[in-house]
Amino acid sequence: MNNKLKIYTYIMLLFMAVAGLTSCESNDSKQDDPPTQGYLAKAKEILNEEIVLSTRTTMNGVDKTLLERGCPTKFKFEWNEEGGMILNLNNFTVGAMPFGITFRSTTKFTNLNNWEQDEYPGNGWVKFVGTDGKVTIGRSEAKGDKEGSGASVTGFLNVNTKQVEFIIDYNMMNVRIETFLQTIDKTRISRFDEEFAQYEKDLEEAKKEQGKN
């Protein structure tokens, strides 16, 4: 390889490296951009008041929910004056948990970055992230966030299809609540007690079958 070709090759490699870094920086900055007002308005319509979603609770990566369909879980969504969405989970307990857990986090909506767009293709997707969530035990109301708590929520919502998916990480004993991808059905709130009672009945049967009693 002659000197001119070596220099040309070096310049091209340097150019590609710089372009790659620029792309990454552009991708990261895009994630901090807020969605369009139209998307935010739809998100406020969808995620408001009490909604029942199916979840799995994991500890150290082990599914404690046991049932494939998950556990019916009641969340409450509110919005503050600054446009932040507040996600609340009040006194959540399932199976043999000795106490309930209450979680609260104020979230911020952003666009998806390039990698997330590959995971969630199509139009209508927005991302919401909450850090410094507050975790309390039992029926204690979680007021405000708690700086430095490490408790967090990361989720994705399609404002067109009403599909949602998010994970709450309590940052406590490696416990997480995973709300797997599903379509929101607001009529479930009227059937919550019935759904939860059936879940606990089926959970006991699953424990017997799996020898977990």
Side-chain angles (χ1 to χ4, degrees):
M1 183 181 295
N2 59 43
N3 288 337
K4 287 185 178 180
L5 185 56
K6 286 181 179 179
I7 293 171
Y8 174 78
T9 302
Y10 175 77
I11 292 173
M12 289 302 296
L13 290 172
L14 183 61
F15 174 78
M16 287 188 290
V18 171
L21 289 173
T22 303
S23 175
C24 289
E25 290 173 0
S26 174
N27 185 62
D28 290 340
S29 64
K30 181 180 179 181
Q31 189 176 13
D32 293 329
D33 292 341
T36 65
Q37 288 300 313
Y39 275 16
L40 280 176
K42 287 183 178 180
K44 289 180 181 180
E45 290 178 4
I46 297 168
L47 297 178
N48 66 80
E49 300 182 343
E50 291 186 321
I51 298 175
V52 176
L53 298 166
S54 298
T55 67
R56 296 191 184 98
T57 300
T58 64
M59 179 179 291
N60 294 319
V62 178
D63 183 6
K64 297 297 184 179
T65 310
L66 298 184
L67 302 183
E68 183 65 26
R69 70 176 185 269
C71 171
T73 306
K74 188 190 298 183
F75 294 93
K76 184 177 181 180
F77 299 89
E78 302 172 292
W79 294 78
N80 61 27
E81 293 180 356
E82 291 75 33
M85 185 189 75
I86 304 167
L87 185 151
N88 296 279
L89 177 63
N90 185 43
N91 195 37
F92 176 74
T93 180
V94 63
M97 284 178 63
F99 49 78
I101 295 179
T102 293
F103 174 84
R104 180 191 189 278
S105 181
T106 303
T107 66
K108 173 185 176 182
F109 276 78
T110 67
N111 290 314
L112 278 61
N113 63 34
N114 291 340
W115 294 281
E116 291 163 345
Q117 289 175 22
D118 291 337
E119 293 293 323
Y120 301 90
N123 296 323
W125 288 104
V126 292
K127 180 180 180 180
F128 55 93
V129 178
T131 57
D132 298 330
K134 189 169 184 180
V135 180
T136 57
I137 304 302
R139 295 186 178 276
S140 301
E141 185 178 357
K143 294 182 179 179
D145 292 354
K146 186 177 181 181
E147 185 175 354
S149 69
S152 63
V153 56
T154 302
F156 299 88
L157 169 72
N158 190 304
V159 299
N160 295 332
T161 64
K162 298 183 181 179
Q163 290 175 290
V164 69
E165 180 176 40
F166 59 88
I167 293 176
I168 295 174
D169 187 341
Y170 291 135
N171 193 34
M172 180 179 66
M173 298 184 294
N174 291 320
V175 177
R176 306 199 316 174
I177 286 188
E178 302 177 0
T179 303
F180 47 87
L181 188 63
Q182 58 198 274
T183 301
I184 294 171
D185 177 2
K186 291 194 174 182
T187 66
R188 290 182 69 183
I189 192 67
S190 64
R191 306 190 300 272
F192 174 70
D193 290 339
E194 179 184 346
E195 273 195 50
F196 193 82
Q198 185 63 50
Y199 165 79
E200 294 218 304
K201 179 180 178 181
D202 294 342
L203 177 63
E204 290 305 311
E205 291 299 318
K207 286 181 177 179
K208 291 178 183 177
E209 292 175 2
Q210 299 178 35
K212 295 183 182 293
N213 274 351

